[in-house]
PDB file of all heavy atoms in Angstrom:
ATOM      1  N   ALA A  53      86.736 126.354  96.412  1.00 97.00           N
ATOM      2  CA  ALA A  53      87.337 126.178  95.084  1.00 97.00           C
ATOM      3  C   ALA A  53      87.462 124.687  94.777  1.00 97.00           C
ATOM      4  O   ALA A  53      87.278 124.251  93.642  1.00 97.00           O
ATOM      5  CB  ALA A  53      88.709 126.845  95.015  1.00 97.00           C
ATOM      6  N   CYS A  54      87.757 123.900  95.820  1.00 97.00           N
ATOM      7  CA  CYS A  54      87.887 122.445  95.634  1.00 97.00           C
ATOM      8  C   CYS A  54      86.583 121.834  95.170  1.00 97.00           C
ATOM      9  O   CYS A  54      86.567 120.914  94.343  1.00 97.00           O
ATOM     10  CB  CYS A  54      88.360 121.783  96.929  1.00 97.00           C
ATOM     11  SG  CYS A  54      87.421 122.232  98.393  1.00 97.00           S
ATOM     12  N   VAL A  55      85.472 122.347  95.695  1.00 97.00           N
ATOM     13  CA  VAL A  55      84.161 121.800  95.348  1.00 97.00           C
ATOM     14  C   VAL A  55      83.881 122.038  93.868  1.00 97.00           C
ATOM     15  O   VAL A  55      83.442 121.135  93.144  1.00 97.00           O
ATOM     16  CB  VAL A  55      83.060 122.450  96.221  1.00 97.00           C
ATOM     17  CG1 VAL A  55      81.696 121.904  95.855  1.00 97.00           C
ATOM     18  CG2 VAL A  55      83.350 122.212  97.693  1.00 97.00           C
ATOM     19  N   VAL A  56      84.181 123.252  93.425  1.00 96.00           N
ATOM     20  CA  VAL A  56      83.951 123.596  92.025  1.00 96.00           C
ATOM     21  C   VAL A  56      84.866 122.786  91.115  1.00 96.00           C
ATOM     22  O   VAL A  56      84.436 122.211  90.110  1.00 96.00           O
ATOM     23  CB  VAL A  56      84.165 125.110  91.797  1.00 96.00           C
ATOM     24  CG1 VAL A  56      84.025 125.464  90.329  1.00 96.00           C
ATOM     25  CG2 VAL A  56      83.202 125.912  92.643  1.00 96.00           C
ATOM     26  N   ALA A  57      86.142 122.722  91.505  1.00 97.00           N
ATOM     27  CA  ALA A  57      87.119 122.004  90.685  1.00 97.00           C
ATOM     28  C   ALA A  57      86.743 120.540  90.566  1.00 97.00           C
ATOM     29  O   ALA A  57      86.840 119.941  89.494  1.00 97.00           O
ATOM     30  CB  ALA A  57      88.509 122.148  91.294  1.00 97.00           C
ATOM     31  N   CYS A  58      86.292 119.960  91.673  1.00 97.00           N
ATOM     32  CA  CYS A  58      85.931 118.546  91.685  1.00 97.00           C
ATOM     33  C   CYS A  58      84.761 118.279  90.756  1.00 97.00           C
ATOM     34  O   CYS A  58      84.797 117.368  89.934  1.00 97.00           O
ATOM     35  CB  CYS A  58      85.582 118.108  93.103  1.00 97.00           C
ATOM     36  SG  CYS A  58      84.910 116.448  93.185  1.00 97.00           S
ATOM     37  N   SER A  59      83.710 119.088  90.882  1.00 95.00           N
ATOM     38  CA  SER A  59      82.521 118.870  90.058  1.00 95.00           C
ATOM     39  C   SER A  59      82.858 118.988  88.588  1.00 95.00           C
ATOM     40  O   SER A  59      82.340 118.253  87.744  1.00 95.00           O
ATOM     41  CB  SER A  59      81.431 119.893  90.414  1.00 95.00           C
ATOM     42  OG  SER A  59      80.990 119.662  91.725  1.00 95.00           O
ATOM     43  N   SER A  60      83.749 119.920  88.278  1.00 95.00           N
ATOM     44  CA  SER A  60      84.103 120.147  86.894  1.00 95.00           C
ATOM     45  C   SER A  60      85.009 119.033  86.365  1.00 95.00           C
ATOM     46  O   SER A  60      84.835 118.551  85.253  1.00 95.00           O
ATOM     47  CB  SER A  60      84.731 121.539  86.806  1.00 95.00           C
ATOM     48  OG  SER A  60      85.745 121.571  85.900  1.00 95.00           O
ATOM     49  N   GLU A  61      85.955 118.609  87.164  1.00 96.00           N
ATOM     50  CA  GLU A  61      86.872 117.543  86.737  1.00 96.00           C
ATOM     51  C   GLU A  61      86.154 116.218  86.558  1.00 96.00           C
ATOM     52  O   GLU A  61      86.448 115.454  85.644  1.00 96.00           O
ATOM     53  CB  GLU A  61      87.991 117.378  87.784  1.00 96.00           C
ATOM     54  CG  GLU A  61      88.840 116.124  87.650  1.00 96.00           C
ATOM     55  CD  GLU A  61      89.872 116.187  86.526  1.00 96.00           C
ATOM     56  OE1 GLU A  61      90.123 117.294  86.009  1.00 96.00           O
ATOM     57  OE2 GLU A  61      90.410 115.135  86.182  1.00 96.00           O
ATOM     58  N   ASN A  62      85.213 115.936  87.470  1.00 97.00           N
ATOM     59  CA  ASN A  62      84.643 114.595  87.520  1.00 97.00           C
ATOM     60  C   ASN A  62      83.242 114.483  86.932  1.00 97.00           C
ATOM     61  O   ASN A  62      82.552 113.489  87.182  1.00 97.00           O
ATOM     62  CB  ASN A  62      84.649 114.094  88.966  1.00 97.00           C
ATOM     63  CG  ASN A  62      86.064 113.849  89.453  1.00 97.00           C
ATOM     64  OD1 ASN A  62      86.771 113.014  88.916  1.00 97.00           O
ATOM     65  ND2 ASN A  62      86.494 114.606  90.460  1.00 97.00           N
ATOM     66  N   ASN A  63      82.820 115.468  86.151  1.00 95.00           N
ATOM     67  CA  ASN A  63      81.506 115.421  85.506  1.00 95.00           C
ATOM     68  C   ASN A  63      80.393 115.158  86.513  1.00 95.00           C
ATOM     69  O   ASN A  63      79.506 114.329  86.267  1.00 95.00           O
ATOM     70  CB  ASN A  63      81.469 114.335  84.424  1.00 95.00           C
ATOM     71  CG  ASN A  63      82.519 114.541  83.366  1.00 95.00           C
ATOM     72  OD1 ASN A  63      83.018 115.646  83.182  1.00 95.00           O
ATOM     73  ND2 ASN A  63      82.857 113.482  82.654  1.00 95.00           N
ATOM     74  N   VAL A  64      80.469 115.818  87.648  1.00 95.00           N
ATOM     75  CA  VAL A  64      79.429 115.637  88.661  1.00 95.00           C
ATOM     76  C   VAL A  64      78.222 116.473  88.243  1.00 95.00           C
ATOM     77  O   VAL A  64      78.348 117.670  88.016  1.00 95.00           O
ATOM     78  CB  VAL A  64      79.925 116.067  90.058  1.00 95.00           C
ATOM     79  CG1 VAL A  64      78.829 115.870  91.097  1.00 95.00           C
ATOM     80  CG2 VAL A  64      81.157 115.277  90.437  1.00 95.00           C
ATOM     81  N   PRO A  65      77.062 115.814  88.088  1.00 94.00           N
ATOM     82  CA  PRO A  65      75.907 116.554  87.575  1.00 94.00           C
ATOM     83  C   PRO A  65      75.351 117.562  88.579  1.00 94.00           C
ATOM     84  O   PRO A  65      75.536 117.411  89.787  1.00 94.00           O
ATOM     85  CB  PRO A  65      74.883 115.465  87.269  1.00 94.00           C
ATOM     86  CG  PRO A  65      75.313 114.280  88.039  1.00 94.00           C
ATOM     87  CD  PRO A  65      76.770 114.406  88.315  1.00 94.00           C
ATOM     88  N   THR A  66      74.678 118.559  88.048  1.00 92.00           N
ATOM     89  CA  THR A  66      73.994 119.521  88.914  1.00 92.00           C
ATOM     90  C   THR A  66      72.598 118.967  89.193  1.00 92.00           C
ATOM     91  O   THR A  66      71.911 118.522  88.279  1.00 92.00           O
ATOM     92  CB  THR A  66      73.880 120.888  88.232  1.00 92.00           C
ATOM     93  OG1 THR A  66      73.395 120.689  86.912  1.00 92.00           O
ATOM     94  CG2 THR A  66      75.224 121.581  88.171  1.00 92.00           C
ATOM     95  N   MET A  78      74.566 116.708  94.605  1.00 93.00           N
ATOM     96  CA  MET A  78      75.728 115.838  94.532  1.00 93.00           C
ATOM     97  C   MET A  78      77.000 116.664  94.562  1.00 93.00           C
ATOM     98  O   MET A  78      77.208 117.528  93.712  1.00 93.00           O
ATOM     99  CB  MET A  78      75.677 115.004  93.251  1.00 93.00           C
ATOM    100  CG  MET A  78      74.462 114.122  93.202  1.00 93.00           C
ATOM    101  SD  MET A  78      74.242 113.373  91.611  1.00 93.00           S
ATOM    102  CE  MET A  78      75.285 111.958  91.786  1.00 93.00           C
ATOM    103  N   HIS A  79      77.814 116.399  95.560  1.00 95.00           N
ATOM    104  CA  HIS A  79      79.137 117.030  95.631  1.00 95.00           C
ATOM    105  C   HIS A  79      80.085 115.982  96.179  1.00 95.00           C
ATOM    106  O   HIS A  79      79.913 115.550  97.315  1.00 95.00           O
ATOM    107  CB  HIS A  79      79.118 118.258  96.551  1.00 95.00           C
ATOM    108  CG  HIS A  79      78.263 119.371  96.050  1.00 95.00           C
ATOM    109  ND1 HIS A  79      78.591 120.097  94.938  1.00 95.00           N
ATOM    110  CD2 HIS A  79      77.093 119.875  96.493  1.00 95.00           C
ATOM    111  CE1 HIS A  79      77.651 121.002  94.718  1.00 95.00           C
ATOM    112  NE2 HIS A  79      76.721 120.890  95.643  1.00 95.00           N
ATOM    113  N   TRP A  80      81.072 115.607  95.404  1.00 97.00           N
ATOM    114  CA  TRP A  80      82.013 114.592  95.868  1.00 97.00           C
ATOM    115  C   TRP A  80      82.855 115.119  97.013  1.00 97.00           C
ATOM    116  O   TRP A  80      83.425 114.365  97.778  1.00 97.00           O
ATOM    117  CB  TRP A  80      82.910 114.136  94.719  1.00 97.00           C
ATOM    118  CG  TRP A  80      82.210 113.280  93.717  1.00 97.00           C
ATOM    119  CD1 TRP A  80      80.872 113.033  93.643  1.00 97.00           C
ATOM    120  CD2 TRP A  80      82.805 112.544  92.649  1.00 97.00           C
ATOM    121  NE1 TRP A  80      80.599 112.199  92.591  1.00 97.00           N
ATOM    122  CE2 TRP A  80      81.770 111.877  91.968  1.00 97.00           C
ATOM    123  CE3 TRP A  80      84.123 112.389  92.200  1.00 97.00           C
ATOM    124  CZ2 TRP A  80      82.016 111.066  90.861  1.00 97.00           C
ATOM    125  CZ3 TRP A  80      84.355 111.587  91.103  1.00 97.00           C
ATOM    126  CH2 TRP A  80      83.302 110.923  90.439  1.00 97.00           C
ATOM    127  N   ILE A  81      82.976 116.436  97.085  1.00 97.00           N
ATOM    128  CA  ILE A  81      83.652 117.050  98.230  1.00 97.00           C
ATOM    129  C   ILE A  81      82.777 118.209  98.690  1.00 97.00           C
ATOM    130  O   ILE A  81      82.145 118.867  97.873  1.00 97.00           O
ATOM    131  CB  ILE A  81      85.085 117.515  97.867  1.00 97.00           C
ATOM    132  CG1 ILE A  81      85.789 118.102  99.077  1.00 97.00           C
ATOM    133  CG2 ILE A  81      85.093 118.482  96.705  1.00 97.00           C
ATOM    134  CD1 ILE A  81      87.277 118.350  98.845  1.00 97.00           C
ATOM    135  N   TRP A 159      73.201 118.999  83.007  1.00 91.00           N
ATOM    136  CA  TRP A 159      73.979 120.194  83.306  1.00 91.00           C
ATOM    137  C   TRP A 159      73.284 121.383  82.668  1.00 91.00           C
ATOM    138  O   TRP A 159      72.825 121.293  81.523  1.00 91.00           O
ATOM    139  CB  TRP A 159      75.399 120.079  82.733  1.00 91.00           C
ATOM    140  CG  TRP A 159      76.229 119.113  83.493  1.00 91.00           C
ATOM    141  CD1 TRP A 159      77.018 119.378  84.577  1.00 91.00           C
ATOM    142  CD2 TRP A 159      76.365 117.704  83.250  1.00 91.00           C
ATOM    143  NE1 TRP A 159      77.620 118.213  85.013  1.00 91.00           N
ATOM    144  CE2 TRP A 159      77.242 117.184  84.225  1.00 91.00           C
ATOM    145  CE3 TRP A 159      75.825 116.830  82.316  1.00 91.00           C
ATOM    146  CZ2 TRP A 159      77.591 115.832  84.277  1.00 91.00           C
ATOM    147  CZ3 TRP A 159      76.157 115.497  82.368  1.00 91.00           C
ATOM    148  CH2 TRP A 159      77.040 115.010  83.343  1.00 91.00           C
ATOM    149  N   LEU A 163      77.371 124.185  80.717  1.00 89.00           N
ATOM    150  CA  LEU A 163      78.256 123.303  81.480  1.00 89.00           C
ATOM    151  C   LEU A 163      78.400 121.925  80.826  1.00 89.00           C
ATOM    152  O   LEU A 163      79.438 121.286  80.940  1.00 89.00           O
ATOM    153  CB  LEU A 163      77.727 123.119  82.911  1.00 89.00           C
ATOM    154  CG  LEU A 163      77.797 124.342  83.825  1.00 89.00           C
ATOM    155  CD1 LEU A 163      77.193 124.016  85.179  1.00 89.00           C
ATOM    156  CD2 LEU A 163      79.233 124.782  83.987  1.00 89.00           C
ATOM    157  N   GLN A 166      81.516 121.075  78.681  1.00 92.00           N
ATOM    158  CA  GLN A 166      82.876 121.012  79.210  1.00 92.00           C
ATOM    159  C   GLN A 166      83.135 119.716  79.972  1.00 92.00           C
ATOM    160  O   GLN A 166      83.969 119.673  80.858  1.00 92.00           O
ATOM    161  CB  GLN A 166      83.139 122.221  80.120  1.00 92.00           C
ATOM    162  CG  GLN A 166      82.113 122.399  81.227  1.00 92.00           C
ATOM    163  CD  GLN A 166      82.721 122.401  82.603  1.00 92.00           C
ATOM    164  OE1 GLN A 166      83.691 123.081  82.863  1.00 92.00           O
ATOM    165  NE2 GLN A 166      82.138 121.615  83.485  1.00 92.00           N
ATOM    166  N   LEU A 167      82.421 118.652  79.597  1.00 94.00           N
ATOM    167  CA  LEU A 167      82.624 117.388  80.295  1.00 94.00           C
ATOM    168  C   LEU A 167      84.038 116.864  80.060  1.00 94.00           C
ATOM    169  O   LEU A 167      84.596 117.000  78.980  1.00 94.00           O
ATOM    170  CB  LEU A 167      81.603 116.362  79.818  1.00 94.00           C
ATOM    171  CG  LEU A 167      80.148 116.677  80.159  1.00 94.00           C
ATOM    172  CD1 LEU A 167      79.241 115.580  79.659  1.00 94.00           C
ATOM    173  CD2 LEU A 167      79.981 116.859  81.655  1.00 94.00           C
ATOM    174  N   ASN A 168      84.574 116.253  81.088  1.00 94.00           N
ATOM    175  CA  ASN A 168      85.919 115.700  81.012  1.00 94.00           C
ATOM    176  C   ASN A 168      85.877 114.341  80.311  1.00 94.00           C
ATOM    177  O   ASN A 168      85.241 113.415  80.805  1.00 94.00           O
ATOM    178  CB  ASN A 168      86.462 115.547  82.440  1.00 94.00           C
ATOM    179  CG  ASN A 168      87.875 115.061  82.471  1.00 94.00           C
ATOM    180  OD1 ASN A 168      88.455 114.729  81.434  1.00 94.00           O
ATOM    181  ND2 ASN A 168      88.460 115.024  83.655  1.00 94.00           N
ATOM    182  N   ARG A 174      78.098 109.109  84.686  1.00 95.00           N
ATOM    183  CA  ARG A 174      77.361 108.024  85.327  1.00 95.00           C
ATOM    184  C   ARG A 174      75.876 108.099  84.990  1.00 95.00           C
ATOM    185  O   ARG A 174      75.280 109.175  85.064  1.00 95.00           O
ATOM    186  CB  ARG A 174      77.554 108.072  86.849  1.00 95.00           C
ATOM    187  CG  ARG A 174      78.917 107.603  87.324  1.00 95.00           C
ATOM    188  CD  ARG A 174      80.028 108.593  87.096  1.00 95.00           C
ATOM    189  NE  ARG A 174      79.784 109.891  87.694  1.00 95.00           N
ATOM    190  CZ  ARG A 174      80.594 110.917  87.561  1.00 95.00           C
ATOM    191  NH1 ARG A 174      81.694 110.828  86.861  1.00 95.00           N
ATOM    192  NH2 ARG A 174      80.308 112.059  88.133  1.00 95.00           N
ATOM    193  N   ALA A 211      91.930 117.136  91.526  1.00 97.00           N
ATOM    194  CA  ALA A 211      91.460 118.473  91.179  1.00 97.00           C
ATOM    195  C   ALA A 211      91.346 119.373  92.403  1.00 97.00           C
ATOM    196  O   ALA A 211      91.691 120.557  92.351  1.00 97.00           O
ATOM    197  CB  ALA A 211      90.118 118.376  90.466  1.00 97.00           C
ATOM    198  N   CYS A 212      90.882 118.818  93.528  1.00 97.00           N
ATOM    199  CA  CYS A 212      90.701 119.630  94.737  1.00 97.00           C
ATOM    200  C   CYS A 212      92.048 120.146  95.233  1.00 97.00           C
ATOM    201  O   CYS A 212      92.185 121.312  95.610  1.00 97.00           O
ATOM    202  CB  CYS A 212      90.004 118.829  95.824  1.00 97.00           C
ATOM    203  SG  CYS A 212      90.762 117.245  96.201  1.00 97.00           S
TER     204      CYS A 212
END
Side-chain angles (χ1 to χ4, degrees):
Chain A
C54 50
V55 179
V56 176
C58 172
S59 294
S60 144
E61 167 77 14
N62 292 298
N63 302 339
V64 180
T66 48
M78 299 170 85
H79 295 291
W80 287 9
I81 182 170
W159 288 270
L163 291 178
Q166 54 123 48
L167 294 181
N168 183 354
R174 286 76 56 183
C212 52

